[in-house]
Amino acid sequence: MDDDVAVPAAARLIRDFVNTYEPQIDDETLTSPDLLHDWFAERHLLPVGVHLGPADLDAAVTIREGLRAVLLGHAGHRADPDALDRLNQALAATPVAPRFTADGHRLVAVGDTPLDQAVAGLVDAIGECAADGSWRRLKVCARDTCRWAYYDASRNQARRWCSMAGCGNYVKMRRAYAVRTGRAPS
């Protein structure tokens, strides 16, 4: 939906991680620890030969849904405080520390589990987004049945829907119908 050329790589990583679940059609990409591993490995957050377990999958889904709540807040909606608490607890279980090289720095996991490595990569991407100004541009769609994550590349950062042609049009048509008929939009 976005012009991916305009989306910084770190923001794309976070957006794509949140979009591993599509609420509108109840489509879950991360249905097993192996699929979670594959998703992280494809993005170079995990080496190929490591193993993830069911607890790792649960933690990753908790982090993903917590990030969805944060991005909902970026879109001007109230974030679910329980999802934020669960996110913070999951991230507290994976401490990170800066590592410096001649080229700069990045955040790495203090722990040595495979999930620690992957989560540290996500946290590092969030840090990059905060540094380059793209963090607040990551949002989720205002349509309550959609909640698809997107990158708001608009100049004034006021975009509300993942797609104006899809969700934006639907919401506006419902509002117009409600005004015409005198009914409150559902």
Side-chain angles (χ1 to χ4, degrees):
M1 291 181 189
D2 292 335
D3 180 11
D4 270 355
V5 175
V7 182
R12 190 175 315 121
L13 175 67
I14 301 303
R15 180 201 64 193
D16 292 351
F17 181 62
V18 171
N19 286 340
T20 57
Y21 175 66
E22 188 172 354
Q24 186 163 275
I25 60 172
D26 194 27
D27 183 29
E28 175 66 75
T29 301
L30 308 177
T31 56
S32 72
D34 290 337
L35 289 172
L36 175 65
H37 171 272
D38 293 347
W39 194 92
F40 283 139
E42 287 170 9
R43 286 147 187 89
H44 309 290
L45 297 175
L46 279 180
V48 174
V50 300
H51 176 74
L52 295 175
D56 297 324
L57 178 61
D58 291 344
V61 168
T62 297
I63 291 168
R64 179 192 65 202
E65 294 310 312
L67 289 173
R68 187 183 313 276
V70 170
L71 302 186
L72 186 62
H74 289 183
H77 300 281
R78 184 177 175 278
D80 176 9
D82 292 333
L84 294 177
D85 286 344
R86 289 188 299 273
L87 170 64
N88 289 326
Q89 290 170 6
L91 292 177
T94 309
V96 296
R99 289 291 184 261
F100 292 90
T101 65
D103 297 332
H105 71 282
R106 64 187 195 95
L107 295 174
V108 297
V110 172
D112 60 357
T113 71
L115 185 66
D116 290 347
Q117 283 183 286
V119 171
L122 292 172
V123 171
D124 188 53
I126 291 168
E128 284 182 45
C129 291
D132 70 15
S134 61
W135 178 239
R136 298 294 298 180
R137 289 180 176 269
L138 284 169
K139 301 176 179 181
V140 294
C141 185
R143 185 174 176 192
D144 59 352
T145 58
C146 180
R147 300 300 193 229
W148 188 253
Y150 66 92
Y151 180 79
D152 182 356
S154 67
R155 187 182 317 194
N156 64 359
Q157 299 179 38
R159 198 169 136 196
R160 298 182 36 83
W161 299 287
C162 62
S163 161
M164 189 57 216
C167 289
N169 188 43
Y170 176 84
V171 171
K172 287 183 174 190
M173 286 178 57
R174 302 256 317 159
R175 285 184 191 151
Y177 177 77
V179 168
R180 258 191 342 269
T181 61
R183 298 179 188 165
S186 57

